[in-house]
Amino acid sequence: FLFMAECLRKCNIEFQMEDLGKEDAAVKIQQQGRAMRDRKRVKELKEQRKQQQAAVKIQAQGRRVRDRQLAENKRVANQIWLRELFTKLCRRKVKTVLVSDLWAYLRSDPDVMLELAVPIRFTLPSMPQQYQIIVDVVLDRLPEDMSKQLQWAEVANLFGMDLERARQVDQQYAAVKIQAVQRGRRDCERVRQLRNSKANKADSDATPSAKDLAESSVSTLASNVDLGTPRDEDDVTVGGEESPISPLRGEDSVIIEGEEHAEGGEAEEEEGQENETF
């Protein structure tokens, strides 16, 4: 009995050891699985971080490109504005500007502004900021001779543009004027088409259709023509009696003393007698 008990105890110990080994193996497998998942998650996070950083760089580069493009467009627009201001300051449609007029403009002289009829969008407060900050510098650069005539290249040089850039701005200004004229023509043509369409629609609404005209004509004829009742002007008096013209035989047939004779029939009988005599 003691031997059997000892054997059973040893077997239980071995079973317990096996269970512990299985549990340790399961724990190790779970740990390995968690470690693999953690490494995979870390790798994915690194990839996502790299992609985000790359996207941020691309967006930053795109913003820089857009900012540079916007700045360039704004600079070109300001230069075209300055070119048009030069045209507004020219007297008698000449292509030169008096130094005195430019000096008075930069000093916001109201008399000169009124004399030159400078629009509001070309007044000094509306001047682009890149030119407002150099107004004093331009005033210092102006020639002392107030009666001197300045061409566009000279005015552009006063505002910091070289000769080549002044020529490019002149060409761009001419292209802008052509586009403005074309837009004005297209707008006028569109307005004219709209007016014509409205006028045609009004005429079509005011003019009755062919179907309405036909129906009105039929109703008018039906009201004026009555085959069963003779009209007063068609009554003929023969032999002291009033005899109406037969509406079924036409206006050429009359009733005389109860007998009906047709003028067309009498003419045919007389023609037949003449043929027999011949």
Side-chain angles (χ1 to χ4, degrees):
F1 179 76
L2 293 174
F3 177 76
M4 293 178 65
E6 185 65 21
C7 291
L8 290 173
R9 187 177 65 80
K10 289 180 179 180
C11 290
N12 290 330
I13 292 171
E14 290 178 357
F15 289 151
Q16 290 176 0
M17 292 298 294
E18 290 178 0
D19 293 338
L20 290 174
K22 292 179 179 180
E23 291 177 358
D24 293 340
V27 170
K28 289 180 180 179
I29 292 171
Q30 292 176 358
Q31 290 176 352
Q32 291 177 358
R34 284 196 297 271
M36 292 176 64
R37 288 194 296 273
D38 293 340
R39 287 193 295 270
K40 185 177 180 180
R41 189 180 299 110
V42 169
K43 186 177 180 180
E44 291 177 353
L45 290 175
K46 288 181 179 179
E47 292 293 334
Q48 291 179 0
R49 191 175 295 111
K50 288 181 180 179
Q51 292 177 0
Q52 291 175 357
Q53 292 176 356
V56 170
K57 290 181 180 179
I58 293 172
Q59 291 175 358
Q61 291 176 358
R63 283 194 299 270
R64 285 195 294 269
V65 171
R66 288 194 298 271
D67 293 341
R68 285 195 297 268
Q69 186 66 33
L70 290 175
E72 179 65 20
N73 294 339
K74 186 176 181 180
R75 185 176 67 86
V76 172
N78 293 339
Q79 291 173 351
I80 293 175
W81 181 92
L82 183 63
R83 177 62 180 83
E84 191 169 0
L85 174 65
F86 173 81
T87 304
K88 299 297 181 183
L89 296 178
C90 292
R91 290 178 179 269
R92 298 182 182 90
K93 296 183 180 181
V94 295
K95 295 183 179 181
T96 56
V97 174
L98 287 172
V99 176
S100 59
D101 291 341
L102 184 58
W103 186 88
Y105 171 80
L106 295 176
R107 289 293 184 179
S108 297
D109 189 347
D111 296 333
V112 176
M113 300 288 287
L114 184 61
E115 182 181 358
L116 296 176
V118 178
I120 297 177
R121 66 188 184 94
F122 289 102
T123 55
L124 194 61
S126 301
M127 178 180 285
Q129 187 177 3
Q130 73 177 68
Y131 298 140
Q132 289 182 359
I133 60 179
I134 61 173
V135 169
D136 296 334
V137 178
V138 175
L139 287 173
D140 294 337
R141 292 178 179 176
L142 286 176
E144 295 181 358
D145 187 6
M146 291 296 175
S147 62
K148 183 179 179 180
Q149 301 282 344
L150 298 178
Q151 296 182 356
W152 160 242
E154 297 174 339
V155 176
N157 189 19
L158 291 174
F159 284 90
M161 281 187 284
D162 56 2
L163 181 60
E164 184 64 25
R165 184 57 191 165
R167 291 176 179 175
Q168 293 177 0
V169 172
D170 197 12
Q171 294 175 359
Q172 291 173 350
Y173 174 71
V176 169
K177 294 293 289 183
I178 293 173
Q179 292 175 359
V181 171
Q182 292 176 352
R183 284 196 302 270
R185 290 177 179 176
R186 287 195 298 268
D187 294 339
C188 293
E189 183 65 24
R190 192 179 299 110
V191 171
R192 184 161 51 251
Q193 290 177 358
L194 289 174
R195 288 179 179 176
N196 293 335
S197 63
K198 289 182 179 180
N200 294 334
K201 185 177 180 181
D203 293 341
S204 63
D205 294 339
T207 305
S209 61
K211 184 177 179 181
D212 296 337
L213 291 174
E215 291 179 354
S216 61
S217 300
V218 171
S219 61
T220 304
L221 292 174
S223 61
N224 292 334
V225 177
D226 188 0
L227 299 178
T229 304
R231 292 175 294 180
D232 295 338
E233 58 271 14
D234 295 334
D235 294 341
V236 179
T237 302
V238 179
E241 295 182 358
E242 185 176 359
S243 301
I245 296 175
S246 175
L248 299 178
R249 295 174 179 263
E251 296 181 355
D252 295 333
S253 60
V254 294
I255 299 175
I256 302 174
E257 294 181 358
E259 295 180 359
E260 183 175 356
H261 299 276
E263 294 178 0
E266 293 176 354
E268 292 177 356
E269 291 177 358
E270 292 176 356
E271 184 178 356
Q273 291 177 1
E274 291 176 359
N275 293 332
E276 293 176 356
T277 305
F278 180 77

